[in-house]
Amino acid sequence: MKHPLFRIGHGFDLHIFADGRELILGGVRIPHERGLLGHSDADCVIHSVADSLLGAIALPDIGNLFPDDDPSNKDMDSSIILERAVLEIEKLGYGCSNVDITIIAQKPRLSPYIPNMKKVLGQILRIDATCVGIKATTNEGIGSLGRAEGIAAYAVSLLSRKSE
């Protein structure tokens, strides 16, 4: 089946903390003493969602669309990356039906920011915020994430073929 009715994609991203950077997750600025290190704004939530969309339609990951050795991508707002991923799936006749995200962060506490993340992501994905699931958890003090050295995010997306 060349154009199935539904397609599922999975994405993952991880960034370490760095001084002198803003913390941005799911397109939302979060007050914290450190931000995440990356070529773009290092929004690992948006990166994982974009990779899940691209993976669902069997396209290369965001590193291929926005290489980190391209100076024009330096400090890029990650919403641009997600908007491009949405355009790519739409070009192939699909739309995002829903997305489910798990954020792993020992610090900071993220639950107060989740409603706004859902709203921002829903707008970019062209879906209602009720179709954006976000959970935040810690790593129970285990490993680098448990030592609060960075933040990771997993995302799963369901795409559905648009009616012709």
Side-chain angles (χ1 to χ4, degrees):
M1 183 183 306
K2 187 174 180 181
H3 302 287
L5 186 56
F6 299 105
R7 298 184 77 138
I8 297 172
H10 177 264
F12 171 78
D13 196 41
L14 166 76
H15 287 277
I16 62 170
F17 278 116
D19 293 329
R21 304 253 317 170
E22 283 189 290
L23 179 58
I24 303 168
L25 295 172
V28 174
R29 284 175 173 35
I30 298 171
H32 193 58
E33 64 268 10
R34 299 179 294 167
L36 296 172
L37 183 62
H39 189 70
S40 68
D41 64 11
D43 185 334
C44 62
V45 172
I46 283 186
H47 295 176
S48 67
V49 172
D51 273 343
S52 75
L53 298 177
L54 295 170
I57 54 172
L59 288 178
D61 66 14
I62 61 173
N64 284 277
L65 293 178
F66 299 95
D68 63 7
D69 59 358
D70 181 344
S72 69
N73 296 329
K74 181 75 175 132
D75 297 323
M76 175 184 284
D77 180 333
S78 290
S79 65
I80 295 167
I81 294 170
L82 186 54
E83 289 165 358
R84 170 77 183 274
V86 169
L87 289 175
E88 294 297 325
I89 68 170
E90 289 177 343
K91 279 196 265 185
L92 294 172
Y94 288 87
C96 182
S97 294
N98 75 296
V99 63
D100 187 33
I101 304 156
T102 302
I103 307 167
I104 304 167
Q106 203 69 32
K107 293 181 192 177
R109 187 166 185 266
L110 298 175
S111 58
Y113 306 99
I114 289 176
N116 200 21
M117 286 186 220
K118 293 172 92 170
K119 180 181 174 186
V120 169
L121 292 172
Q123 288 173 343
I124 298 169
L125 294 168
R126 306 186 221 296
I127 58 176
D128 193 83
T130 62
C131 296
V132 179
I134 302 178
K135 290 118 16 239
T137 188
T138 68
N139 218 40
E140 300 294 331
I142 300 169
S144 60
L145 292 174
R147 291 188 298 272
E149 294 175 15
I151 296 178
Y154 291 90
V156 178
S157 62
L158 177 66
L159 309 186
S160 54
R161 191 174 62 220
K162 294 182 176 185
S163 45
E164 299 171 13

